[in-house]
Amino acid sequence: MPLLPPWFHVRLTFGDGAVVDARAVVSEGRITIGDLSAGPPAPPDGHTAPADFAGPARHRARPSWPRGREGRRLVAEAYRAAQSEGRDPVLAVMRETGRSRRRSLRLVAAARDAGLLPPRHNRH
């Protein structure tokens, strides 16, 4: 049975109190990391860290978007700018607002209803 190289415990401690622990082995001139874990920075003023520090986020961050007339005006501007540059206007609204395609289409429809964009189809 071959002799396994020894594992080493490595700890990196940062100025804010955050730590990274790793188990590593050096074999044939290469470093291999076995386990890796990280801890939160130390809380300020000696308070305890919140329990949900590592909990999954419930909402994705997206830019705040004004409601009402101002929001419809900004949607119309983004839509027309993308259209004039030959880009996908709905995708431009999605990027600008941080909303899904369905929600962006609703915002575009609201801008059309407000008269800020021309009708989608010319009806005779």
Side-chain angles (χ1 to χ4, degrees):
M1 185 155 104
L3 185 62
L4 297 175
W7 286 88
F8 296 95
H9 177 253
V10 179
R11 172 173 275 186
L12 301 173
T13 304
F14 298 93
D16 64 354
V19 294
V20 175
D21 288 315
R23 283 186 36 157
V25 66
V26 178
S27 175
E28 298 176 17
R30 301 177 78 183
I31 297 174
T32 304
I33 303 293
D35 294 323
L36 185 67
S37 65
D45 302 329
H47 292 89
T48 58
D52 63 342
F53 173 77
R58 296 181 188 262
H59 300 287
R60 291 185 300 192
R62 65 176 170 227
S64 62
W65 194 255
R67 294 178 171 225
R69 176 175 282 170
E70 180 66 17
R72 289 188 297 270
R73 185 185 62 76
L74 292 172
V75 164
E77 286 177 6
Y79 189 94
R80 283 191 305 262
Q83 217 173 23
S84 69
E85 295 170 4
R87 295 184 296 128
D88 181 1
V90 177
L91 187 59
V93 172
M94 289 171 61
R95 285 186 182 141
E96 194 72 26
T97 63
R99 302 294 201 274
S100 68
R101 184 165 191 87
R102 177 176 284 177
R103 181 66 179 138
S104 295
L105 286 168
R106 287 182 185 165
L107 292 171
V108 169
R112 284 189 201 287
D113 292 344
L116 299 170
L117 291 171
R120 187 165 175 204
H121 301 288
N122 288 332
R123 300 211 168 122
H124 301 284

